[in-house]
Amino acid sequence: SQTIHQWPATLVQPVGSPLSLECTVEGTSNPNLYWYRQAAGRGLQLLFYSVGIGQISSEVPQNLSASRPQDRQFILSSKKLLLSDSGFYLCAWSDFPGEQYFGPGTRLTVT
Amino acid sequence: AQTVTQSQPEMSVQEAETVTLSCTYDTSENNYYLFWYKQPPSRQMILVIRQEAYKQQNATENRFSVNFQKAAKSFSLKISDSQLGDTAMYFCAFMKPQQGGDGLTFGKGTHLIIQP
């Protein structure tokens, strides 16, 4: 069966520091991968998606970037964090087309 | 661009009652998918049910069923015999399948509380 992992689970970082969140999927090949952000009391907003290694599409302009160095690995990064980057970050995967399956998420607090 | 609207920020019902959560969406597409996701306090997003727009029959999954009205662009979720474990945020989501990327568009959610 397929599983999706995210780490770290919780992160507290000062403004201006770098960020790296990792997501890995097991039990499937060539999945579509997604990064979402959930601000407090709101729904999820799609940040990035990837249909293959090295292929990244951004949905909204922002201080973040994404990379897919391996088939089942998806990384969310920032060179300098802003206060507005705080939130709950969720990674998801899917086999096209169909429902998306989410990881446990990372709670990021920028201080 | 598609939009998804959930007009009920919070709902509260007694255990064993039936509850219906509302969702409307706006799209010019004819082929799409609709989903309901559940987010309990653990914040793990869990798929509850899916509906393909080309299917006229409403989807059902045990105690969960939907009322899909394509012309009205409405997609409500009915939970029968509600249980304490159903307490969670519920999100309605829209997806247009396309090879170049098919991210979900979410509503803002409904906080459902099941009272003992």
Side-chain angles (χ1 to χ4, degrees), chain B:
Chain B
Q2 291 76 28
T3 59
V4 178
T5 302
Q6 294 179 249
S7 59
Q8 304 152 311
E10 185 169 292
M11 297 184 70
S12 180
V13 299
Q14 296 295 122
E15 192 176 8
E17 290 183 346
T18 294
V19 59
T20 299
L21 308 183
S22 301
C23 173
T24 58
Y25 58 95
D26 187 23
T27 184
S28 58
E29 302 292 332
N30 190 51
N31 180 31
Y32 51 87
Y33 292 77
L34 295 164
F35 305 93
W36 280 98
Y37 281 87
K38 170 184 177 180
Q39 188 178 42
S42 67
R43 303 197 75 174
Q44 173 82 51
M45 293 289 284
I46 302 166
L47 177 68
V48 175
I49 201 165
R50 67 179 262 176
Q51 175 81 41
E52 292 91 334
Y54 65 86
K55 290 186 176 179
Q56 293 186 338
Q57 186 173 6
N58 289 324
T60 62
E61 285 288 344
N62 301 314
R63 298 183 294 110
F64 299 87
S65 62
V66 298
N67 183 5
F68 173 50
Q69 302 289 330
K70 190 173 183 180
K73 297 180 182 176
S74 171
F75 184 60
S76 61
L77 174 69
K78 185 173 81 171
I79 306 174
S80 303
D81 186 26
S82 57
Q83 301 173 0
L84 296 178
D86 295 332
T87 293
M89 285 291 293
Y90 286 81
F91 292 96
C92 179
F94 173 100
M95 186 192 79
K96 180 183 73 170
Q98 53 184 13
Q99 200 66 41
D102 52 353
L104 294 166
T105 300
F106 284 87
K108 292 187 176 180
T110 296
H111 185 204
L112 176 63
I113 300 169
I114 308 300
Q115 303 278 6

Side-chain angles (χ1 to χ4, degrees), chain A residues 68-80:
Chain A
R68 185 171 177 173
Q70 300 180 44
D71 181 44
R72 289 167 289 180
Q73 183 185 33
F74 204 23
I75 297 172
L76 184 69
S77 304
S78 174
K79 292 182 179 179
K80 290 185 177 182

